[in-house]
Amino acid sequence: MANYKIVATDLDGTLFNANVEISPENNAAIKALFDKEIYFVPSSGRTLCEIPKELTESPYIRFISFSNGASVYDKETGNTMLSCLDRAMTNKMFDIIERFETHITIRHGGHNYGDANTADDKSCKYLNVESGHRRLLNTYGRFLPNFKAFYRGAEDIEMVSLFFHNDDDRIKCKELLEKIFDLTLASSMPYNLEICSSSAGKGNGILNLAKYLRVNKEEIIAVGDSENDIPAIKAAGLGLAVENACDALKETADEVICDNNSHVVEYILNKYI
């Protein structure tokens, strides 16, 4: 077996089971990786404040990659490796986004900000905001009445997350952004588009960490379930898709493993470590 030094896993639909919980078996496997001096790295589209304390306060986890790899937090030093969007670019980017009917949130400084004017049930339903995303916003989000002025003036935006009323608009918006800007674009849910710097993305987040730790690509395992996990799967020496993953991820991965209700980290520990 390869001498793996990093195991990076997505959270929702991968590490978390259907009840959005970390099983005791996975917690035990995370400790076992720590004991073997292997870094277990949560890698999520969530921002830092949305990641459960069970992970952020775990003595067996040092690094956390969040906002689709735009930020990698080192708990030991308190430092964060950032790959954020440039303000001049984001303002031009929002000129395009604002042409469409969208629900906009931004990840900034480890927090998730949204528009107080589109936080109600009717707006979220009309704009197809996925229930899990909305639950996180209601729990951790900061809703601003002057949201547009805020995001137009914000420096170091980690990620922009959009939900569209019309999926054709999502496709058209993505095409326009790809044509004009050098960005990392992905979707993790229906009607969704996630925007990061071209130097971000889950793959770059893991590779930046690997460079910092002097770890080779061949020594990395990455596992996920959604389209936004594809860069991480490609960046790793061993890229894994859970059984419940989308077809595009399964086609990219080296192997398909168990589903997210079957203790993914324990499975990886037993089969590959």
Side-chain angles (χ1 to χ4, degrees), residues 151-163:
Y151 68 66
R152 284 284 189 168
E155 301 281 358
D156 295 331
I157 293 176
E158 300 160 7
M159 188 175 94
V160 177
S161 181
L162 308 173
F163 286 89

Side-chain angles (χ1 to χ4, degrees), residues 31-32 37 46 66 88 102 120 124 166 176 188 196 208 224 269:
K31 181 182 183 301
E37 299 184 343
R46 297 186 182 202
F66 58 95
T102 59
D120 59 284
C124 288
N166 186 309
L176 288 170
S188 60
C196 294
N208 289 338
L269 176 70

Side-chain angles (χ1 to χ4, degrees), residues 74-241:
D74 182 349
K75 291 165 51 181
E76 185 173 296
T77 65
N79 295 328
T80 304
M81 291 175 267
L82 294 172
S83 300
C84 294
L85 289 158
D86 174 77
R87 179 178 171 183
M89 178 187 288
T90 57
N91 278 321
K92 293 177 182 177
M93 187 178 76
F94 282 122
D95 287 339
I96 293 173
I97 293 168
E98 289 167 3
R99 300 178 195 175
F100 302 94
E101 291 185 288
T102 59
H103 181 281
I104 304 172
T105 57
I106 69 165
R107 316 289 205 271
H108 173 65
H111 294 280
N112 202 354
Y113 293 88
D115 189 346
N117 299 305
T118 59
D120 59 284
D121 289 344
K122 184 177 180 180
S123 294
C124 288
K125 184 176 181 180
Y126 180 77
L127 295 169
N128 296 300
V129 180
E130 191 267 342
S131 59
H133 180 83
R134 189 173 178 202
R135 183 178 63 249
L136 287 174
L137 276 175
N138 289 340
T139 305
Y140 304 104
R142 297 181 175 184
F143 294 98
L144 305 175
N146 58 341
F147 181 56
K148 181 176 178 179
F150 176 76
Y151 68 66
R152 284 284 189 168
E155 301 281 358
D156 295 331
I157 293 176
E158 300 160 7
M159 188 175 94
V160 177
S161 181
L162 308 173
F163 286 89
F164 291 78
H165 170 63
N166 186 309
D167 200 54
D168 288 340
D169 285 349
R170 180 189 67 84
I171 295 168
K172 186 175 180 180
C173 183
K174 182 179 180 182
E175 290 173 348
L176 288 170
L177 293 172
E178 286 176 327
K179 185 177 180 180
I180 300 172
F181 305 107
D182 184 16
L183 296 166
T184 298
L185 301 170
S187 298
S188 60
M189 296 160 277
Y191 297 95
N192 169 247
L193 183 61
E194 297 175 343
I195 306 168
C196 294
S197 163
S198 60
S199 59
K202 289 189 177 183
N204 285 333
I206 294 303
L207 290 176
N208 289 338
L209 175 59
K211 183 178 180 180
Y212 176 74
L213 294 173
R214 298 182 181 179
V215 169
N216 297 321
K217 173 179 178 175
E218 292 73 23
E219 299 170 315
I220 302 170
I221 295 175
V223 57
D225 74 308
S226 300
E227 181 186 322
N228 67 347
D229 296 309
I230 290 175
I233 298 303
K234 289 181 176 180
L238 178 63
L240 304 174

